[in-house]
């Protein structure tokens, strides 16, 4: 009685199966798998919300706009510091480490304005953190107004965002499908080629003559 082993397929059979697949099947499989993975990631990932508040530097009668622009650049760098975030945490209701990781500032080279942007999984908290940091920054800046001759005012408060700023499942699915199609194309390029004809046999080389054959020819 003979036994038929049911182990894994040999590499030669796997290569033969890869050769027999049509070219479009690898691309379709990559696009489908990538789209499913990307869409699933977009569904399970926690959405993030973004809110932005703006403060503007205003010069007094003893200063000018160029000075206000320079101080706005400086205030943009000061906003993420502990002195400002320590006061902002009281109004935002979150620890300093959360503000440090969730709040970013940006300045303009043309306007004396500072944009304070906060991100959170809660839309109301994103607005609260942005407003809290802008309030603390304004307070610290105006404590030294007598020396800087520049007043920092709130230009626009952050409002509760209506929708998430993170990518939707449709977008992540499209990105995943594109990546899967690209991967399928790469596999298609490196897979073994199918043989289209009979293998070319190497030319036969006559073996060396024996001593008896040589003696008969002499």
């Amino acid at each position: 009685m003979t036994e038929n082993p049911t182990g894994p397929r040999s590499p030669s059979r796997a290569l033969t199966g890869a050769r027999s697949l049509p070219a479009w099947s690898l691309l379709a499989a990559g696009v489908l798998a990538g789209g499913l993975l990307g869409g699933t990631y977009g569904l399970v990932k926690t959405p993030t919300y973004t809110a932005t508040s703006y403060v503007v530097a205003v010069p007094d009668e003893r200063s000018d706009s160029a000075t206000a622009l320079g101080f706005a650049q400086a205030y943009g760098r000061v906003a993420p510091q502990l002195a400002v975030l320590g006061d902002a945490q009281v109004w935002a209701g979150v620890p300093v480490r959360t503000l440090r990781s969730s709040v970013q500032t940006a300045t303009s080279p043309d306007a004396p304005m500072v944009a304070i942007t906060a991100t959170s999984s809660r839309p109301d908290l994103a607005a609260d953190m942005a407003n809290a940091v802008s309030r603390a920054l304004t307070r610290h800046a105006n404590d030294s107004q007598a020396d800087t001759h520049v007043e920092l005012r709130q230009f626009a408060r952050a409002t509760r965002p209506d929708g998430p700023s993170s990518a939707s499942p449709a977008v992540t699915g499209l990105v995943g499908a594109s990546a899967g199609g690209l991967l399928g194309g790469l596999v298609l390029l490196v897979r073994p080629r199918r043989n289209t004809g009979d293998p070319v046999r190497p030319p036969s080389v006559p073996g060396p003559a024996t001593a008896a054959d040589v003696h008969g020819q002499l």
Side-chain angles (χ1 to χ4, degrees):
M1 180 177 179
T2 60
E3 296 182 356
N4 294 325
T6 59
R9 298 175 61 185
S10 62
S12 61
R13 291 183 180 180
L15 292 177
T16 303
R19 294 191 189 100
S20 61
L21 291 175
W24 62 264
S25 64
L26 294 176
L27 294 176
V31 170
L32 181 60
L36 289 176
L37 291 176
T40 303
Y41 172 77
L43 288 174
V44 301
K45 183 179 182 296
T46 303
T48 57
Y49 297 85
T50 302
T52 304
S53 64
Y54 298 89
V55 294
V56 60
V58 180
D60 60 15
E61 65 277 0
R62 293 171 294 179
S63 185
D64 53 23
S65 58
T67 302
L69 180 61
F71 274 104
Q73 301 287 334
Y75 291 146
R77 293 189 292 269
V78 169
Q81 301 302 318
L82 181 60
V84 176
L85 299 182
D87 291 343
Q89 69 174 342
V90 179
W91 298 310
V94 295
V96 172
R97 63 177 180 273
T98 302
L99 292 174
R100 191 184 300 275
S101 62
S102 304
V103 176
Q104 295 180 345
T105 60
T107 57
S108 171
D110 302 321
M113 186 174 293
V114 182
I116 302 172
T117 302
T119 58
S120 174
S121 59
R122 292 167 43 194
D124 55 340
L125 183 57
D128 290 343
M129 288 191 297
N131 290 326
V133 174
S134 64
R135 179 180 177 182
L137 179 62
T138 301
R139 178 180 176 180
H140 277 269
N142 292 339
D143 286 343
S144 57
Q145 180 182 354
D147 299 325
T148 62
H149 306 296
V150 173
E151 180 185 5
L152 197 62
R153 300 177 184 175
Q154 188 173 57
F155 183 79
R157 286 179 55 85
T159 58
R160 187 180 186 274
D162 296 331
S165 57
S166 56
S168 63
V171 175
T172 57
L174 181 60
V175 173
S178 301
L182 178 60
L183 182 60
L186 293 176
V187 173
L188 183 62
L189 290 176
V190 301
R191 74 168 185 168
R193 298 291 182 179
R194 183 185 301 177
N195 295 329
T196 57
D198 295 334
V200 179
R201 297 180 179 179
S204 59
V205 179
T210 59
D213 294 338
V214 175
H215 179 72
Q217 294 176 1
L218 294 179

